[in-house]
């Protein structure tokens, strides 16, 4: 009811003070000029400008928003000077909302709003009005534009963009420290009245915080606000329009404020002293215990660093800071000994890493506590006098000789007897032994440096009263060298001498090795066991020697192998020497001294072949040589005479070789017609009594007289060819049978299957060695002859 009364008073005030809200605002000229009056003027371009004088004009209308009446709300009235009141003019309205939101009485020019208007939706409307003659529909005035502006009323409350704000401020901040600024908005018109003028105030949160009424900045209101006492605050802020006056609308929001931590609290140990116990057998790095200083701050401001600042155990213990728990962990730094010291005292300090200078007045940001550490006695194993032992002995000592003694003691206050023993896993051959009472190590077998130069033993010392308490120590035994090995040839030497060797020629360089290792290094001397007329040894004085010949020429047919004994001596004490025998073979060499052959069996066969196998291989080689020689001879013979020329059929006199002939259809065989009529030889037929690889023009021989016996002629020819070494034994020279004409049996002759020389490749003869060089040259010459023919 009060709000309605206030709104009614506002409406009355607006209507009384602003009569223009319900009347047309217009401006008239001082002198009336008739319609059609034109005012001339010149523009910049020289053209004549025409301006028609308006008969009526207006600026704007004003309309109050949120009208709640039942009738249309009156906006204003349009009127033209041409209107005589006779109803001859008609008023037309166009533009924003014309005809719907705004209507006009076409006779009177009265404008009304048809519904309630919200300024926040649209603050003004632009419309156009025109007066026309009702009868002619012609305008009597130019169209004019006017504005209907909506006057604001306070119908919107202030609102905050967020319902809840979160802010923080460091604890212990001075009064007036800015925390956060909140801002509310009001949809009402800020340029008209106080509808949008907002004032801020705190409804909840005093006396800790305050707010500036005009800006909405929240500030601290109390000094020394301590986070450790209270960390979270919730305040409620009100924003009220109308400048905060009564009747204004308001809105609220909540602000959650957190006090952030600052380093305003020094660390403090809860106890002035701490007591720990640790067994004396604890190794270095063993954790004894931990101390922790409390700090009311959090995060970075509570980070601490622990250190040992004083005490009689500073060199025996360490302390480190655990970042996750902020504890100081105390550990063993050096081995402890109950018999030497039983109690240690440490002074441990804890200090903040990050200190705020503003709070130095609160005191030093560090604290100390006393840590006492008691060492407890335990049954400890024996302790050796050394961490390891090294003994050196010569390899020629007698069995049972003591090489050294290890010593150990019981560190406990009640020292007990100790028993020594050898770990047999480190002496599997049982070369050494140890006296169980005094720890003396002695040999039980002979030593040999050449077999093993070092022996790594493990000696065990155990308490007799408590055998479980034992300790091991490493004992290294180095075997020193004694010259007990004679030098020998470094490698096996395969030595030969050429048959054409001259006196003083080097045939071999020898060297030696010795298993011994003298301090001054190896030094060898070489000599012959006896004077040798064929060879001599020349010492190079660098642990090598040269074997030289003493005469010219050697013959492997007389002596194929020489044995040369060479004496090798060392330079240590006692001097050791040995005799090595060189086997020197006599070999055939070329002019450059390269060995070609030493003996047939050694060169042609691998070791282990029997004499029978050697003979078989030699026979095969001889047969191959004969065949190759025959082929070479045939190549040199370019033309051969026919073996048989006769007219008489002598088929019955031809020797049979138990092989069936090719028959009458075998045209490649020897033609028997040649025997009857030598003149009937056809050039186009292949001859089987000449070399198969090359075709030669048949050589005609004088025909035998008709009264000559064919058998005598054949025998004569056979003798000639038998005595001719160049005539190969071609089996095609014989005629085996004659079956007559038109035999259906095909030829069984194997002569046509013979390969030509072009099919054979005898290059492998060159790879057989020097003994086949001649054969390869003969074959090669034949090839050359054939190529050039």
């Amino acid at each position: 009811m009060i709000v309605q009364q206030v709104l009614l008073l506002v409406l009355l005030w607006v209507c009384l003070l602003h009569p223009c809200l319900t009347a047309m605002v217009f401006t008239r000229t001082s002198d009336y000029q008739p319609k059609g009056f034109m005012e001339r003027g010149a523009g910049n371009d020289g053209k004549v400008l025409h301006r028609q004088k308006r008969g009526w004009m207006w600026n704007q209308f004003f309309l109050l928003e949120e009208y709640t009446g039942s009738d249309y709300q009156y906006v204003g009235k349009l009127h033209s000077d041409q209107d005589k009141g006779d109803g001859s003019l008609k008023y037309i309205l166009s533009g924003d909302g014309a005809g719907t939101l705004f209507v006009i009485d076409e006779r009177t020019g009265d404008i009304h709003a048809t519904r309630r208007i919200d300024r926040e939706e649209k603050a003004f409307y632009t419309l156009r009005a025109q007066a026309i003659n009702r009868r002619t529909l012609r305008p009597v005035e130019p169209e004019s534009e006017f504005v209907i502006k909506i006057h604001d009323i306070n119908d919107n409350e202030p609102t905050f963009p967020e319902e809840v704000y979160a802010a923080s401020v460091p604890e212990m901040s001075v009064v007036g420290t800015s925390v956060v600024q909140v801002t509310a908005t009001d949809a009402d018109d800020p340029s008209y009245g106080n509808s949008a003028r907002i004032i801020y105030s705190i409804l909840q949160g005093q006396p800790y915080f305050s707010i500036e009424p005009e800006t909405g900045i929240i500030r601290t209101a109390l000094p020394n606000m301590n986070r450790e006492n209270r960390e979270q605050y919730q305040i409620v802020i009100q924003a009220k329009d109308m400048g905060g006056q009564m009747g204004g609308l308001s809105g609220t929001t909540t602000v959650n404020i957190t006090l952030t931590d600052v380093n305003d609290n020094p660390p403090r140990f809860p106890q002035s002293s701490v007591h720990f116990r640790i067994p004396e057998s604890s190794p270095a790095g063993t954790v004894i215990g931990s101390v922790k200083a409390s700090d009311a701050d959090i995060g970075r401001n509570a980070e601490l660093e622990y250190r040992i600042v004083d005490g009689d155990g500073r060199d025996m213990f360490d302390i480190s800071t655990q970042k996750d728990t902020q504890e100081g962990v105390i550990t063993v730094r050096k081995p402890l000994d109950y018999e030497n010291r039983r109690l240690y005292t440490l002074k441990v300090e804890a200090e903040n890493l990050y200190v705020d200078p503003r709070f130095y007045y609160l005191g030093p940001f560090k604290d100390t506590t006393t840590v006492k550490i008691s060492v407890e006695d335990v049954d400890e194993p024996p302790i050796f006098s050394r961490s390891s032992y090294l003994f050196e002995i010569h390899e020629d000592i007698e069995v049972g000789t003591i090489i050294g003694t290890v010593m150990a003691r019981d560190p406990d206050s009640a020292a007990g007897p100790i028993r020594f023993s050898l770990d047999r896993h480190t002496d599997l051959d049982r070369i050494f032994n140890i006296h169980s009472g005094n720890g003396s190590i002695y040999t039980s077998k002979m030593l040999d440096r050449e077999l093993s130069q070092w022996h790594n033993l493990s000696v065990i010392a155990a308490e007799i009263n408590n055998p479980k308490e034992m300790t091991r120590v490493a004992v290294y035994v180095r075997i020193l060298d004694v010259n007990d090995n004679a030098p020998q040839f470094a490698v096996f030497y395969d030595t030969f001498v050429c048959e054409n060797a001259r006196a003083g020629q080097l045939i071999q360089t020898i060297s030696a090795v010795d298993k011994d290792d003298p301090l001054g290094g190896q030094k060898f001397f070489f000599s012959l066991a006896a004077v040798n007329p064929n060879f001599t040894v020349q010492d190079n004085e660098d642990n090598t020697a040269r074997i030289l010949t003493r005469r010219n020429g050697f013959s492997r047919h007389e002596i194929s192998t020489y044995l040369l004994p060479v004496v090798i001596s060392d330079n240590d004490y006692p001097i050791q020497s040995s005799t090595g025998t060189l086997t020197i073979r006599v070999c055939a060499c070329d002019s450059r001294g390269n060995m070609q052959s030493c003996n047939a069996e050694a060169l042609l066969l691998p070791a282990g072949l029997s004499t029978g196998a050697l003979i078989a291989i030699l026979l095969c080689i001889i047969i191959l040589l004969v065949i190759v020689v025959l082929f070479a001879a045939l190549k040199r013979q370019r033309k051969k005479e026919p073996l048989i020329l006769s007219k008489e059929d002598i088929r019955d006199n031809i020797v049979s070789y138990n092989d069936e002939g090719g028959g009458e259809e075998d045209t490649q065989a020897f033609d028997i017609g040649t025997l009857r009529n030598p003149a009937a030889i056809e050039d186009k037929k292949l001859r089987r009594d000449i070399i198969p690889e090359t075709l030669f023009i048949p050589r005609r021989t004088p025909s035998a007289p008709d009264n000559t016996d064919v058998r005598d002629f054949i025998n004569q020819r056979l003798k000639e060819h038998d005595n001719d070494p160049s005539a190969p034994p071609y089996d095609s020279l014989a005629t085996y049978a004659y079956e007559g004409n038109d035999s259906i049996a095909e030829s069984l002759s194997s002569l046509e299957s013979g390969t030509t020389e072009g099919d054979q490749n005898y290059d492998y003869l060159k790879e057989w060695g020097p003994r086949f060089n001649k054969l390869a040259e003969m074959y090669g010459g034949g090839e050359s002859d054939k190529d050039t023919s």
Side-chain angles (χ1 to χ4, degrees):
M1 187 64 181
I2 297 176
V3 175
Q4 293 178 353
Q5 292 177 357
V6 171
L7 292 176
L8 182 59
L9 293 174
V10 171
L11 290 175
L12 293 175
W13 174 77
V14 171
C15 293
L16 293 176
L17 298 181
H18 303 278
C20 60
L21 293 176
T22 56
M24 179 185 67
V25 177
F26 60 92
T27 303
R28 291 190 177 277
T29 58
S30 57
D31 298 327
Y32 172 76
Q33 297 181 5
K35 182 178 180 181
F37 174 80
M38 307 295 292
E39 182 179 352
R40 296 178 179 270
N44 295 333
D45 53 358
K47 294 182 179 180
V48 177
L49 300 179
H50 301 276
R51 183 176 62 84
Q52 183 176 0
K53 181 176 176 156
R54 300 175 61 89
W56 56 275
M57 54 187 302
W58 55 87
N59 293 329
Q60 60 184 357
F61 294 102
F62 294 93
L63 183 64
L64 193 66
E65 70 168 333
E66 302 293 346
Y67 174 72
T68 58
S70 58
D71 298 333
Y72 288 169
Q73 185 179 6
Y74 181 71
V75 178
K77 182 180 181 64
L78 300 179
H79 184 72
S80 175
D81 291 343
Q82 304 296 326
D83 189 358
K84 306 299 184 183
D86 55 0
S88 62
L89 296 183
K90 180 181 180 180
Y91 295 96
I92 300 175
L93 186 66
S94 63
D96 294 341
T100 57
L101 179 58
F102 301 103
V103 294
I104 189 172
D105 189 335
E106 61 184 16
R107 289 183 174 275
T108 63
D110 293 329
I111 302 174
H112 292 81
T114 62
R115 60 179 176 84
R116 184 172 60 181
I117 298 176
D118 189 359
R119 188 201 65 84
E120 283 69 42
E121 293 181 0
K122 191 171 177 117
F124 62 89
Y125 296 86
T126 303
L127 294 97
R128 294 178 298 278
Q130 190 174 33
I132 63 174
N133 187 289
R134 184 181 296 275
R135 183 175 56 82
T136 63
L137 301 180
R138 292 182 178 180
V140 297
E141 296 284 351
E143 188 180 53
S144 297
E145 185 178 86
F146 65 96
V147 175
I148 300 177
K149 187 175 181 180
I150 310 302
H151 266 182
D152 181 52
I153 65 172
N154 189 19
D155 60 343
N156 290 280
E157 63 183 15
T159 59
F160 289 93
E162 298 181 16
E163 294 182 1
V164 179
Y165 288 84
S168 62
V169 64
E171 64 172 330
M172 308 298 290
S173 297
V174 298
V175 176
T177 301
S178 175
V179 179
V180 68
Q181 182 179 13
V182 293
T183 302
T185 59
D186 196 324
D188 294 326
D189 188 1
S191 61
Y192 180 77
N194 294 326
S195 299
R197 183 186 174 194
I198 299 174
I199 298 298
Y200 300 94
S201 61
I202 293 182
L203 299 183
Q204 175 185 327
Q206 295 176 335
Y208 305 103
F209 299 94
S210 63
I211 189 170
E212 294 181 358
E214 300 291 339
T215 62
I217 298 177
I218 301 174
R219 301 181 182 276
T220 59
L222 288 180
N224 300 327
M225 296 176 67
N226 197 338
R227 183 199 65 83
E228 288 73 28
N229 295 332
R230 182 177 178 181
E231 185 176 6
Q232 298 289 339
Y233 294 86
Q234 187 179 74
I235 63 175
V236 177
I237 304 298
Q238 182 189 61
K240 190 174 184 181
D241 59 11
M242 297 300 292
Q245 297 178 4
M246 182 179 297
L249 303 179
S250 63
T252 60
T253 187
T254 301
V255 180
N256 294 325
I257 300 176
T258 303
L259 295 183
T260 59
D261 185 60
V262 297
N263 193 7
D264 58 340
N265 294 278
R268 292 291 179 262
F269 282 105
Q271 299 176 348
S272 59
S273 64
V274 183
H275 194 188
F276 297 108
R277 296 181 179 274
I278 183 72
E280 63 172 334
S281 60
S282 301
T286 302
V287 176
I288 301 174
S290 62
V291 294
K292 183 176 182 180
S294 60
D295 192 328
D297 298 321
I298 60 175
R300 183 173 182 267
N301 297 316
E303 292 184 9
L304 302 174
E305 182 180 8
Y306 295 88
R307 65 177 66 92
I308 299 175
V309 295
D310 198 2
D312 52 12
R314 297 178 60 182
D315 58 339
M316 299 297 296
F317 304 96
D318 283 328
I319 189 169
S320 59
T321 304
Q322 294 292 328
K323 297 297 182 181
D324 52 347
T325 61
Q326 292 298 309
E327 293 180 340
V329 179
I330 302 173
T331 57
V332 177
R333 182 177 182 182
K334 293 182 180 181
L336 303 175
D337 190 356
Y338 173 81
E339 288 70 27
N340 292 334
R341 191 177 186 89
R342 304 181 182 183
L343 181 63
Y344 295 91
T345 302
L346 304 176
K347 187 176 182 180
V348 177
E349 179 183 78
E351 182 180 13
N352 278 133
L353 288 177
Y354 308 100
V355 180
D356 193 334
R358 296 177 300 170
F359 305 105
Y360 280 156
Y361 67 91
L362 296 177
F365 282 79
K366 56 186 176 181
D367 194 15
T368 60
T369 187
T370 301
V371 178
K372 295 182 179 181
I373 302 175
S374 296
V375 179
E376 297 180 343
D377 186 28
V378 295
D379 190 4
E380 300 175 84
I383 299 176
F384 283 94
S385 60
R386 301 181 189 175
S387 59
S388 63
Y389 293 86
L390 172 63
F391 301 131
E392 295 182 346
I393 55 173
H394 287 88
E395 60 180 323
D396 59 348
I397 62 173
E398 297 179 358
V399 176
T401 302
I402 296 177
I403 64 173
T405 302
V406 297
M407 292 182 293
R409 64 178 180 85
D410 187 356
D412 296 324
S413 56
I418 298 174
R419 180 184 180 87
F420 297 94
S421 62
L422 272 177
D423 186 353
R424 287 303 174 184
H425 292 90
T426 61
D427 185 27
L428 297 177
D429 296 332
R430 295 183 175 270
I431 300 175
F432 302 94
N433 212 334
I434 189 171
H435 193 282
S436 62
N438 57 22
S440 298
I441 302 175
Y442 57 91
T443 60
S444 58
K445 291 183 180 180
M446 293 296 297
L447 302 177
D448 189 354
R449 189 201 66 87
E450 285 68 39
L451 294 179
S452 180
Q453 186 177 356
W454 286 91
H455 296 274
N456 300 327
L457 308 178
S458 180
V459 176
I460 303 173
E463 296 182 8
I464 295 178
N465 299 330
N466 187 8
K468 294 182 179 180
E469 296 296 333
M470 63 176 62
T471 307
R472 295 173 179 266
V473 70
V475 177
Y476 305 102
V477 181
R478 180 181 181 183
I479 310 302
L480 301 179
D481 184 46
V482 174
N483 191 24
D484 56 349
N485 291 277
Q488 297 176 352
F489 281 135
V491 295
F492 173 77
Y493 294 101
D494 184 14
T495 308
F496 71 92
V497 62
C498 295
E499 290 182 310
N500 56 357
R502 297 182 178 275
Q505 183 174 339
L506 174 65
I507 63 171
Q508 184 69 60
T509 300
I510 61 175
S511 62
V513 293
D514 193 336
K515 294 181 180 180
D516 295 322
D517 187 16
L519 296 178
Q522 298 284 4
K523 179 63 178 177
F524 302 124
F525 301 94
F526 301 88
S527 63
L528 293 180
V531 177
N532 190 295
N534 300 311
F535 305 97
T536 184
V537 175
Q538 183 177 354
D539 197 330
N540 296 327
E541 298 182 357
D542 59 353
N543 291 339
T544 62
R546 297 186 297 169
I547 307 300
L548 305 175
T549 58
R550 296 189 64 181
R551 65 184 179 88
N552 297 329
F554 294 84
S555 176
R556 58 177 171 166
H557 300 291
E558 296 178 0
I559 300 177
S560 62
T561 304
Y562 292 91
L563 298 179
L564 183 64
V566 179
V567 179
I568 310 172
S569 303
D570 58 20
N571 193 34
D572 204 359
Y573 180 82
I575 295 177
Q576 302 286 342
S577 64
S578 66
T579 301
T581 301
L582 283 178
T583 300
I584 305 174
R585 296 178 298 154
V586 180
C587 301
C589 303
D590 56 15
S591 59
R592 291 177 293 181
N594 297 323
M595 180 184 67
Q596 292 183 336
S597 65
C598 293
N599 53 71
E601 184 174 358
L603 293 178
L604 296 179
L605 293 177
L609 288 181
S610 63
T611 305
L614 175 62
I615 295 174
I617 294 176
L618 291 177
L619 289 177
C620 292
I621 294 174
I622 292 173
I623 293 172
L624 289 175
L625 289 173
V626 172
I627 293 174
V628 174
V629 170
L630 290 177
F631 275 107
L634 287 176
K635 289 180 182 179
R636 293 191 180 92
Q637 180 181 1
R638 299 303 182 182
K639 297 180 180 180
K640 299 297 289 183
E641 295 181 358
L643 298 179
I644 302 176
L645 294 175
S646 175
K647 298 179 180 180
E648 185 179 356
D649 187 359
I650 58 173
R651 287 175 296 172
D652 296 337
N653 296 326
I654 302 300
V655 179
S656 176
Y657 295 95
N658 297 327
D659 189 8
E660 184 178 358
E664 65 274 13
E665 295 301 322
D666 187 4
T667 59
Q668 302 300 321
F670 190 84
D671 190 2
I672 194 63
T674 305
L675 297 177
R676 299 193 184 99
N677 185 12
I681 299 176
E682 296 181 6
D683 295 339
K684 65 180 180 179
K685 291 185 178 181
L686 298 176
R687 300 296 300 275
R688 305 310 297 268
D689 56 343
I690 60 177
I691 299 175
E693 288 81 358
T694 309
L695 297 178
F696 299 95
I697 299 175
R699 182 179 62 182
R700 297 182 180 274
T701 58
S703 62
D706 294 337
N707 57 357
T708 303
D709 190 1
V710 174
R711 179 179 300 174
D712 295 336
F713 175 79
I714 293 175
N715 291 333
Q716 180 183 357
R717 287 296 183 182
L718 287 175
K719 290 180 180 179
E720 292 178 355
H721 284 278
D722 289 339
N723 296 327
D724 186 2
S726 63
Y730 293 112
D731 57 354
S732 62
L733 296 179
T735 301
Y736 303 100
Y738 186 75
E739 299 179 8
N741 296 328
D742 298 330
S743 173
I744 62 174
E746 296 181 355
S747 175
L748 300 178
S749 174
S750 62
L751 298 178
E752 293 181 0
S753 64
T755 59
T756 63
E757 291 181 3
D759 296 333
Q760 300 295 327
N761 184 5
Y762 296 98
D763 292 341
Y764 59 86
L765 293 176
K766 298 179 181 180
E767 301 175 359
W768 284 11
R771 287 184 174 274
F772 294 92
N773 290 340
K774 185 64 177 178
L775 185 60
E777 293 176 358
M778 293 174 61
Y779 177 75
E783 288 291 90
S784 300
D785 295 343
K786 187 179 79 169
D787 294 341
T788 57
S789 62

